[in-house]
């Protein structure tokens, strides 16, 4: 038991060390570039205003969904880089469906979310299908599908937009289907997206799926040792397809909080790049639903707090990208170092135990 | 030596193409394009302008892919090519506008190599998962490129936070004699002969030292990796690092060198982009690093195949730019016919594949007949769709280095 406590401490130490290391590296970059180091940190680590807190919760929940989509694949060694394309295509189709308002009020919201899940799953499923039938690496196919999605959305967007105008976007969602959000932060002029709840739902789903179902067990087993999983009768091809579908389905949710809580349509300004951020967040959170929550909030916090950098310190907020990248790289390095250390410690411990049990026998003999 | 090695691992499945076969293949492609041009009337399917545009589009992808080749031959998957390329574009823009394009090339190589070194430290030194490290490098390089550009170019004449001041591009030159003859031939509009002339003209006129240098790097890579002891050792690290180590090869050293070279080549690909557009611009790489990786896989981890893959990609990309709607429309017909041939070829052995191909071909034919040209957004998709289709058709014939992507720890050979 004592060993486990130490092990847990080590696991927690890794991300903390990585963040400290990232702060040091970023400070070094700032210092070398001649930017004011102190003011940058005092801006980033200043107390967020109520408005900022709401923004952090909102973008954190969106990042959380994105990271969860990536994490499902990671748990069985599938690399779904295509989350970005999947959520953009899904958000577009859902926005179109919601804008057409075939169903009244809240039913429209539910229907659109189902559509988004389906579209995301199908787009990811293409990569899964290519992998199992044609042996195409999902890393490459999802990258290609991201680019194809970009052009496809651009084309479809032009088809559905009002002709002869410059504001290219889907029809606005009817007011009865717009969601007002929760005013849970006092004094904040804006509300937390209602569909941030999707992050909680997805988290519970993810945890139950992986830890309480046969499918989840098989998924984790395949991820840890494919040959062992095959030997125990797991149909790896089916697992790959289903995992990609689930990953894409969760990816489909990413755009929903934004769509129903903020933009109310899909246009040229709809937020992009969330899928790539999700990869970094999933890595930082070690594919663990709670770890990802912390990672998503940290990334959202850094993004939000860095917006003021240009004003207060005259520094471009791109510095935060460097910091986030360094956090991810150093955290995986730290995990690896900790893992090796643990392995070595385990070996020593077992060796010591063997030694101590053998000694008396020898004495007796 | 190569044959021996591959025989030993028992993986040779087909005969390596010989020169006559390659030349016949090239002639067949030209003939196909000539026929296509005659049938559809899409002149830009085979024109010197298209070939020139294809080279411009293909070179950065080919160089990035060559970077991937070095890295993966040593057993390290390099998805960070995109980020290394971004560092290259920044280096080329930053040094290029101050001291000329040659200095830009030098700094692109340097910055790319630094990013490659980072990847090597993470993957080889610390044994981090290769793809994870690559993704992290892409994130860092994206941020670093934007941050550094903001610092270096803001307030400079003609520059800004997302763009460098203009860079003086390298001067271009023609290969005298050949290009003149080819130009005469192209202008005649004779079947096949003029198409050949157009392609030769595109290949021999308005060249830059970077194109020539890039092609030489391909020859050099082939020679070093497949004809020298050094190269054999690099490849042995990618095939079986344990065996290499047991023979006294310093696996870490060769992996480090290969991954750093890989970064430098990706940086050079960035310099090519800067020279081409005479400026560093944010988002200039546009995913070409990833496509380079796909071209390398398409090329079966070999320089010749990689060059063919990049050319295919460059060609489809160029068509989009040269009266895209019409040209890509013609390409749809070509694709449909090729798929039908593939289906016939597969009919005896794999019925289901043949049927799928026929279905796809019929769909494409329907598109060809029912439309006059392809909408702009779809022509933009062509390169990516082509890559996906080609990989779907040929992925199973590929053989990657055996230990590619696996983390290796010194001393694990026992």
């Amino acid at each position: 038991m004592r060993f486990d406590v130490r092990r847990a401490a080590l696991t927690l130490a890794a991300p903390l060390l990585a963040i400290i290391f990232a702060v040091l590296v970023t400070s070094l970059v700032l210092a070398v570039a001649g930017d004011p180091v102190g003011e940058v940190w005092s801006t980033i680590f200043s107390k967020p205003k109520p408005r900022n807190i709401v923004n952090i919760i909102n973008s954190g929940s969106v990042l959380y969904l994105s990271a969860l989509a990536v994490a499902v694949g990671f748990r069985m060694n599938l690399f779904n880089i295509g989350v970005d394309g999947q959520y953009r295509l899904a958000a577009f189709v859902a926005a179109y469906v919601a804008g057409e308002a075939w169903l009244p009020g809240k039913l429209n919201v539910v229907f659109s979310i189902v559509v988004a899940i389906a579209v995301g799953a199908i787009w990811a499923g293409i990569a899964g299908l290519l992998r199992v039938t044609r042996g195409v690496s999902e890393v490459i196919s999802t990258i290609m599908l991201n680019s194809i999605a970009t052009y496809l959305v651009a084309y479809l967007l032009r088809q559905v937009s009002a002709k002869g105008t410059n504001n290219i976007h889907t029809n606005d969602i009817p007011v009865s289907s717009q969601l007002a959000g929760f005013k849970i932060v006092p004094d904040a002029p804006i509300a937390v997206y209602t569909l941030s709840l999707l992050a909680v739902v997805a988290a519970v789903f993810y945890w139950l799926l992986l830890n309480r179902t046969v499918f989840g067990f098989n998924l984790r087993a395949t991820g840890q040792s494919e040959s062992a999983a095959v030997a125990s009768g797991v149909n790896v091809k089916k697992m790959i397809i289903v995992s990609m579908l689930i990953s894409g389905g969760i990816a489909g949710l990413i755009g929903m909080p934004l769509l129903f809580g903020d933009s109310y349509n899909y246009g040229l300004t709809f937020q992009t790049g969330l899928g790539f951020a999700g990869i970094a967040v999933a890595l930082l959170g070690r594919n663990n639903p709670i770890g990802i929550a912390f990672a998503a909030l940290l990334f959202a916090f850094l993004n939000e707090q860095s917006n003021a950098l240009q004003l207060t310190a005259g520094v471009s907020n791109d510095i935060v990208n460097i910091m986030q990248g360094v956090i991810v790289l150093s955290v995986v390095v730290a995990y690896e170092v900790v893992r090796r250390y643990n392995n070595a410690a385990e070996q020593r411990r077992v060796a010591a135990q063997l030694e101590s049990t053998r000694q008396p026998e020898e004495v007796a003999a | 030596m190569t044959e021996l090695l591959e025989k030993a691992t028992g993986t040779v499945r087909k005969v390596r193409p010989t020169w006559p076969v390659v030349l016949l293949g090239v002639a067949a492609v030209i003939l196909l394009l000539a026929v296509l041009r005659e049938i559809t009337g899409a002149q830009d399917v085979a024109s010197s302008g298209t070939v020139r545009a294809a080279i411009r589009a293909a070179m950065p992808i080919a160089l990035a892919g060559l970077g991937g080749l070095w890295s993966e031959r040593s057993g390290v998957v390099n998805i960070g090519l995109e980020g290394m390329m971004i560092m290259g574009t920044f280096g080329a823009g930053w040094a290029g506008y101050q001291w000329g394009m040659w200095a830009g090339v030098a700094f692109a190589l340097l910055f790319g190599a630094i990013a490659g070194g980072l990847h090597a430290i993470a993957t080889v030194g610390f044994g981090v998962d290769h793809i994870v490290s690559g993704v992290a490098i892409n994130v860092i390089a994206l941020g670093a490129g934007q941050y550094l550009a903001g610092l270096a170019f803001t307030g400079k004449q003609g520059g800004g936070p997302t763009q460098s001041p203009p860079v003086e591009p390298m001067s271009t030159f023609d290969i005298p004699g050949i290009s003149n003859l080819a130009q005469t031939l192209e202008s005649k509009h004779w079947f096949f002969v003029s198409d050949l002339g157009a392609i030769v003209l595109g290949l021999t006129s308005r060249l830059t030292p970077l194109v020539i240098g890039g092609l030489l790097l391909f020859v050099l890579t082939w020679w070093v990796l497949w004809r020298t002891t050094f190269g054999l050792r690099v490849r042995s690290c990618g095939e079986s690092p344990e065996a290499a180590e047991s023979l006294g090869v310093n696996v870490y050293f060769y992996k480090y060198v290969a991954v750093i070279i890989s970064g430098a080549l990706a940086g050079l690909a960035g310099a090519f982009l800067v020279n081409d557009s005479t400026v560093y611009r944010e988002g200039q790489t546009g995913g070409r690093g990833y496509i380079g990786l796909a071209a390398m896989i398409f090329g079966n981890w070999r320089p010749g195949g990689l060059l063919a893959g990049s050319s295919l990609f460059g060609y489809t990309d160029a068509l989009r730019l040269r009266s895209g709607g019409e040209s890509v429309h013609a390409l749809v017909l070509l694709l449909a016919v090729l798929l039908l041939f593939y289906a016939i070829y597969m009919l005896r052995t794999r019925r289901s594949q043949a049927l799928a191909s026929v279905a796809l071909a019929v769909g494409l034919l329907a598109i060809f007949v029912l439309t006059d040209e392809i909408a702009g957004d779809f022509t933009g998709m062509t390169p990516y769709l082509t890559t996906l289709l080609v990989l779907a058709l040929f992925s199973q014939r590929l053989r990657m280095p055996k230990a590619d992507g696996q983390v290796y720890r010194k001393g694990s050979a026992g």
Side-chain angles (χ1 to χ4, degrees), chain B residues 45-388:
Chain B
V45 166
S47 73
S48 56
T50 305
V51 174
R52 220 174 279 130
I55 295 175
R56 288 175 51 176
M59 255 350 249
I61 293 161
L63 286 172
L66 199 63
L69 183 84
W70 269 92
S71 173
E72 301 216 355
R73 276 292 170 184
S74 80
V76 178
V77 171
N78 191 352
I79 203 164
L81 286 171
E82 177 76 9
M84 299 173 193
M85 213 167 156
I86 293 176
M87 293 311 288
T89 55
F90 171 76
W94 177 70
Y97 94 90
Q98 302 183 77
W99 309 301
M101 198 55 220
W102 282 108
V105 169
F107 273 87
L109 287 168
L110 178 68
F111 282 25
I114 291 174
L118 192 61
H119 190 51
I121 291 171
T123 55
V124 183
F126 286 103
V128 167
D129 184 273
H130 298 176
I131 293 184
V132 169
S133 166
V135 168
I137 281 173
N138 287 340
V139 177
I140 296 176
L142 183 69
Q146 290 171 352
Y147 175 72
L148 292 173
L151 277 181
F153 303 139
T154 310
K156 296 286 184 326
Q157 179 88 39
T162 60
Q163 191 169 321
S164 75
V167 178
E168 180 73 26
M170 289 181 178
S171 50
T172 61
F173 58 89
D174 297 352
I175 296 179
I178 303 176
S179 59
N180 296 345
L181 176 68
Q183 190 155 24
T184 328
L185 283 180
E186 186 185 14
S187 57
K188 299 283 188 214
H189 291 293
W190 290 332
F191 177 74
F192 189 74
V193 180
S194 290
D195 297 289
L196 183 65
I199 288 166
V200 171
L201 178 64
L203 288 173
T204 55
S205 61
R206 285 188 241 163
L207 296 169
T208 66
L210 279 181
V211 173
I212 305 289
L215 290 175
L216 284 179
L217 279 175
F218 267 79
V219 180
L220 190 67
T221 296
W222 170 80
W223 185 76
V224 170
L225 283 181
W226 277 273
R227 286 294 178 273
T228 65
T229 320
F230 175 81
L232 179 66
R233 287 182 181 157
V234 169
R235 287 185 297 123
S236 70
C237 296
E239 297 291 345
S240 174
E242 290 85 2
E245 190 181 281
S246 73
L247 292 171
V249 173
N250 185 345
V251 174
Y252 280 19
F253 170 77
Y254 285 95
K255 283 189 184 233
Y256 265 105
V257 171
V259 177
I260 289 170
I261 290 177
S262 167
L265 286 168
L268 184 63
F272 192 95
L273 287 174
V274 169
N275 183 57
D276 211 40
S277 50
T278 72
V279 72
Y280 157 88
R281 206 179 298 119
E282 199 178 297
Q284 197 168 20
T285 52
R288 285 184 179 81
Y290 297 121
I291 295 160
L293 205 64
M296 179 205 66
I297 293 174
F298 166 76
N300 202 9
W301 287 265
R302 294 189 61 92
L306 161 63
L307 208 54
S310 322
S311 308
L312 178 71
F313 194 92
Y315 177 73
T316 46
D317 203 26
L319 273 191
R320 168 174 79 93
L321 302 171
R322 313 268 316 171
S323 38
E326 187 195 29
S327 303
V328 175
H329 188 236
L331 198 67
V332 169
L333 177 67
L334 179 66
L335 213 55
V337 173
L338 287 181
L339 273 175
L340 282 177
F341 276 122
Y342 180 79
I344 294 168
Y345 175 70
M346 278 286 152
L347 199 57
R348 272 189 315 176
T349 49
R350 298 217 173 142
R351 194 63 57 82
S352 60
Q353 271 188 34
L355 280 175
S357 305
V358 169
L360 203 55
V362 169
L364 288 172
L365 273 178
I367 294 174
F368 179 77
V369 175
L370 296 175
T371 58
D372 288 329
E373 57 170 57
I374 306 292
D377 291 312
F378 285 98
T379 62
M381 260 180 229
T382 324
Y384 308 101
L385 272 177
T386 317
T387 309
L388 212 51

Side-chain angles (χ1 to χ4, degrees), chain A residues 95-106:
Chain A
Y96 173 73
V97 169
E100 293 300 302
W102 290 315
L103 293 171
K106 300 292 178 283

